[in-house]
Amino acid sequence: LAKTTQPISMDSYEGQEVNITCSHNNIATNDYITWYQQFPSQGPRFIIQGYKTKVTNEVASLFIPADRKSSTLSLPRVSLSDTAVYYCLVGDLGFGNEKLTFGTGTRLTIIP
Amino acid sequence: EAQVTQNPRYLITVTGKKLTVTCSQNMNHEYMSWYRQDPGLGLRQIYYSMNVEVTDKGDVPEGYKVSRKEKRNFPLILESPSPNQTSLYFCASSRLAGVNEQFFGPGTRLTVL
């Protein structure tokens, strides 16, 4: 996996849009960017994956600039239930990256 | 329903008493792995398996063993548990290795006295 750097923690108010940035300067050509969400005492849950430009699903959007050295997970109009730890992983889809490292992620706290 | 199951969900044991935590998936996934999660240390991979009879060490394999005799099962074995193995354990599976979507089990909270 490519080494990633993301903020340790973030706070936001309910109803705001939250953007969490992940830096991955040594991303390889075949690498994809994947984000997981983890609630306390639960296993992480896949939320979104992308390769370039923008990906959107019912939970979040993922913005990836042209150089792909960073990416931004965007959560629209957050609620208290979005309080969780968010992990960014960068790697290819099964061609050599057997070991996975989640790291400590970004702890997002939503304030009422 | 597609899922990863782990048993037991909670376990309190004593130092040196061998234990096994079972993990099973019903999605015919090739890749399975075990993680432990400790406060401030994030999610760390213990062992992973690319397929039946193919296993390898993750970042923190000391004190653990695994086996993959069937595609669906991937048990975690602690031959002689110690208090520093007190942790929250997660099993996960995915169709292939890499950053393919991983499906996590509900977790096993282990306390070693």
mmCIF file of all heavy atoms in Angstrom, chain B residues 70-88:
data_model
loop_
_atom_site.group_PDB
_atom_site.id
_atom_site.type_symbol
_atom_site.label_atom_id
_atom_site.label_comp_id
_atom_site.label_asym_id
_atom_site.label_seq_id
_atom_site.Cartn_x
_atom_site.Cartn_y
_atom_site.Cartn_z
ATOM 1 N N GLU B 70 -10.021 -24.553 4.892
ATOM 2 C CA GLU B 70 -11.196 -24.428 4.028
ATOM 3 C C GLU B 70 -11.299 -22.965 3.634
ATOM 4 O O GLU B 70 -10.885 -22.083 4.391
ATOM 5 C CB GLU B 70 -12.478 -24.819 4.766
ATOM 6 C CG GLU B 70 -12.480 -26.185 5.373
ATOM 7 C CD GLU B 70 -13.654 -26.315 6.336
ATOM 8 O OE1 GLU B 70 -13.547 -25.823 7.461
ATOM 9 O OE2 GLU B 70 -14.683 -26.901 5.932
ATOM 10 N N LYS B 71 -11.905 -22.713 2.489
ATOM 11 C CA LYS B 71 -11.966 -21.345 1.993
ATOM 12 C C LYS B 71 -12.775 -20.449 2.926
ATOM 13 O O LYS B 71 -12.466 -19.280 3.094
ATOM 14 C CB LYS B 71 -12.591 -21.335 0.600
ATOM 15 C CG LYS B 71 -12.326 -20.068 -0.190
ATOM 16 C CD LYS B 71 -12.774 -20.245 -1.622
ATOM 17 C CE LYS B 71 -12.353 -19.069 -2.467
ATOM 18 N NZ LYS B 71 -12.726 -19.242 -3.889
ATOM 19 N N ARG B 72 -13.814 -20.941 3.536
ATOM 20 C CA ARG B 72 -14.709 -20.119 4.311
ATOM 21 C C ARG B 72 -14.221 -19.836 5.730
ATOM 22 O O ARG B 72 -14.688 -18.893 6.355
ATOM 23 C CB ARG B 72 -16.093 -20.759 4.357
ATOM 24 C CG ARG B 72 -16.153 -22.096 5.052
ATOM 25 C CD ARG B 72 -17.554 -22.692 4.986
ATOM 26 N NE ARG B 72 -18.492 -21.887 5.748
ATOM 27 C CZ ARG B 72 -19.624 -21.388 5.255
ATOM 28 N NH1 ARG B 72 -19.947 -21.599 3.998
ATOM 29 N NH2 ARG B 72 -20.429 -20.682 6.013
ATOM 30 N N ASN B 73 -13.303 -20.635 6.258
ATOM 31 C CA ASN B 73 -12.916 -20.503 7.665
ATOM 32 C C ASN B 73 -11.471 -20.058 7.842
ATOM 33 O O ASN B 73 -10.563 -20.526 7.129
ATOM 34 C CB ASN B 73 -13.117 -21.839 8.385
ATOM 35 C CG ASN B 73 -14.564 -22.263 8.420
ATOM 36 O OD1 ASN B 73 -15.457 -21.437 8.574
ATOM 37 N ND2 ASN B 73 -14.798 -23.558 8.277
ATOM 38 N N PHE B 74 -11.268 -19.218 8.836
ATOM 39 C CA PHE B 74 -9.922 -18.697 9.091
ATOM 40 C C PHE B 74 -9.778 -18.464 10.601
ATOM 41 O O PHE B 74 -9.858 -17.339 11.089
ATOM 42 C CB PHE B 74 -9.727 -17.398 8.308
ATOM 43 C CG PHE B 74 -8.313 -16.869 8.289
ATOM 44 C CD1 PHE B 74 -7.236 -17.694 8.058
ATOM 45 C CD2 PHE B 74 -8.072 -15.508 8.470
ATOM 46 C CE1 PHE B 74 -5.942 -17.208 8.011
ATOM 47 C CE2 PHE B 74 -6.777 -15.000 8.425
ATOM 48 C CZ PHE B 74 -5.716 -15.848 8.202
ATOM 49 N N PRO B 75 -9.552 -19.519 11.380
ATOM 50 C CA PRO B 75 -9.468 -19.367 12.831
ATOM 51 C C PRO B 75 -8.168 -18.721 13.289
ATOM 52 O O PRO B 75 -7.111 -18.907 12.668
ATOM 53 C CB PRO B 75 -9.559 -20.814 13.329
ATOM 54 C CG PRO B 75 -9.051 -21.640 12.179
ATOM 55 C CD PRO B 75 -9.479 -20.920 10.934
ATOM 56 N N LEU B 76 -8.274 -17.972 14.376
ATOM 57 C CA LEU B 76 -7.119 -17.345 15.021
ATOM 58 C C LEU B 76 -6.835 -18.102 16.309
ATOM 59 O O LEU B 76 -7.726 -18.270 17.136
ATOM 60 C CB LEU B 76 -7.426 -15.872 15.338
ATOM 61 C CG LEU B 76 -6.326 -15.084 16.028
ATOM 62 C CD1 LEU B 76 -5.146 -14.861 15.082
ATOM 63 C CD2 LEU B 76 -6.870 -13.743 16.520
ATOM 64 N N ILE B 77 -5.601 -18.537 16.458
ATOM 65 C CA ILE B 77 -5.231 -19.372 17.597
ATOM 66 C C ILE B 77 -4.213 -18.639 18.460
ATOM 67 O O ILE B 77 -3.201 -18.136 17.960
ATOM 68 C CB ILE B 77 -4.626 -20.708 17.108
ATOM 69 C CG1 ILE B 77 -5.622 -21.420 16.196
ATOM 70 C CG2 ILE B 77 -4.236 -21.594 18.301
ATOM 71 C CD1 ILE B 77 -4.987 -22.412 15.260
ATOM 72 N N LEU B 78 -4.503 -18.595 19.752
ATOM 73 C CA LEU B 78 -3.538 -18.073 20.716
ATOM 74 C C LEU B 78 -3.096 -19.262 21.562
ATOM 75 O O LEU B 78 -3.852 -19.749 22.407
ATOM 76 C CB LEU B 78 -4.170 -16.985 21.592
ATOM 77 C CG LEU B 78 -4.360 -15.604 20.938
ATOM 78 C CD1 LEU B 78 -5.483 -15.631 19.908
ATOM 79 C CD2 LEU B 78 -4.630 -14.556 22.004
ATOM 80 N N GLU B 79 -1.886 -19.751 21.316
ATOM 81 C CA GLU B 79 -1.407 -20.953 21.983
ATOM 82 C C GLU B 79 -1.203 -20.722 23.484
ATOM 83 O O GLU B 79 -1.522 -21.585 24.299
ATOM 84 C CB GLU B 79 -0.080 -21.407 21.353
ATOM 85 C CG GLU B 79 -0.194 -21.863 19.915
ATOM 86 C CD GLU B 79 -0.490 -23.361 19.790
ATOM 87 O OE1 GLU B 79 -0.698 -24.015 20.833
ATOM 88 O OE2 GLU B 79 -0.513 -23.857 18.669
ATOM 89 N N SER B 80 -0.667 -19.573 23.829
ATOM 90 C CA SER B 80 -0.409 -19.255 25.233
ATOM 91 C C SER B 80 -0.684 -17.771 25.441
ATOM 92 O O SER B 80 0.256 -16.959 25.464
ATOM 93 C CB SER B 80 1.032 -19.610 25.598
ATOM 94 O OG SER B 80 1.278 -19.360 26.974
ATOM 95 N N PRO B 81 -1.943 -17.415 25.604
ATOM 96 C CA PRO B 81 -2.299 -15.999 25.685
ATOM 97 C C PRO B 81 -1.616 -15.273 26.847
ATOM 98 O O PRO B 81 -1.386 -15.866 27.917
ATOM 99 C CB PRO B 81 -3.810 -16.022 25.886
ATOM 100 C CG PRO B 81 -4.249 -17.361 25.413
ATOM 101 C CD PRO B 81 -3.110 -18.287 25.701
ATOM 102 N N SER B 82 -1.305 -14.020 26.603
ATOM 103 C CA SER B 82 -0.724 -13.177 27.652
ATOM 104 C C SER B 82 -1.557 -11.907 27.762
ATOM 105 O O SER B 82 -2.305 -11.565 26.836
ATOM 106 C CB SER B 82 0.721 -12.841 27.308
ATOM 107 O OG SER B 82 0.783 -12.099 26.115
ATOM 108 N N PRO B 83 -1.445 -11.189 28.881
ATOM 109 C CA PRO B 83 -2.251 -9.983 29.075
ATOM 110 C C PRO B 83 -2.093 -8.949 27.965
ATOM 111 O O PRO B 83 -3.033 -8.195 27.676
ATOM 112 C CB PRO B 83 -1.741 -9.441 30.418
ATOM 113 C CG PRO B 83 -1.345 -10.676 31.165
ATOM 114 C CD PRO B 83 -0.723 -11.565 30.119
ATOM 115 N N ASN B 84 -0.934 -8.884 27.310
ATOM 116 C CA ASN B 84 -0.771 -7.891 26.239
ATOM 117 C C ASN B 84 -1.529 -8.265 24.960
ATOM 118 O O ASN B 84 -1.509 -7.515 23.977
ATOM 119 C CB ASN B 84 0.708 -7.629 25.936
ATOM 120 C CG ASN B 84 1.430 -8.840 25.380
ATOM 121 O OD1 ASN B 84 0.808 -9.844 25.018
ATOM 122 N ND2 ASN B 84 2.749 -8.762 25.303
ATOM 123 N N GLN B 85 -2.203 -9.399 24.986
ATOM 124 C CA GLN B 85 -3.070 -9.763 23.873
ATOM 125 C C GLN B 85 -4.541 -9.424 24.157
ATOM 126 O O GLN B 85 -5.418 -9.719 23.336
ATOM 127 C CB GLN B 85 -2.918 -11.245 23.537
ATOM 128 C CG GLN B 85 -1.536 -11.563 22.966
ATOM 129 C CD GLN B 85 -1.344 -13.022 22.657
ATOM 130 O OE1 GLN B 85 -1.398 -13.874 23.565
ATOM 131 N NE2 GLN B 85 -1.122 -13.336 21.407
ATOM 132 N N THR B 86 -4.762 -8.778 25.270
ATOM 133 C CA THR B 86 -6.086 -8.232 25.550
ATOM 134 C C THR B 86 -6.369 -7.163 24.514
ATOM 135 O O THR B 86 -5.609 -6.193 24.387
ATOM 136 C CB THR B 86 -6.133 -7.636 26.962
ATOM 137 O OG1 THR B 86 -6.028 -8.695 27.922
ATOM 138 C CG2 THR B 86 -7.435 -6.863 27.178
ATOM 139 N N SER B 87 -7.449 -7.335 23.759
ATOM 140 C CA SER B 87 -7.695 -6.439 22.641
ATOM 141 C C SER B 87 -9.055 -6.738 22.028
ATOM 142 O O SER B 87 -9.751 -7.672 22.427
ATOM 143 C CB SER B 87 -6.596 -6.622 21.576
ATOM 144 O OG SER B 87 -6.711 -5.666 20.547
ATOM 145 N N LEU B 88 -9.412 -5.927 21.044
ATOM 146 C CA LEU B 88 -10.600 -6.163 20.224
ATOM 147 C C LEU B 88 -10.114 -6.709 18.889
ATOM 148 O O LEU B 88 -9.304 -6.072 18.217
ATOM 149 C CB LEU B 88 -11.372 -4.862 20.032
ATOM 150 C CG LEU B 88 -12.635 -4.915 19.167
ATOM 151 C CD1 LEU B 88 -13.648 -5.899 19.727
ATOM 152 C CD2 LEU B 88 -13.247 -3.522 19.068
#
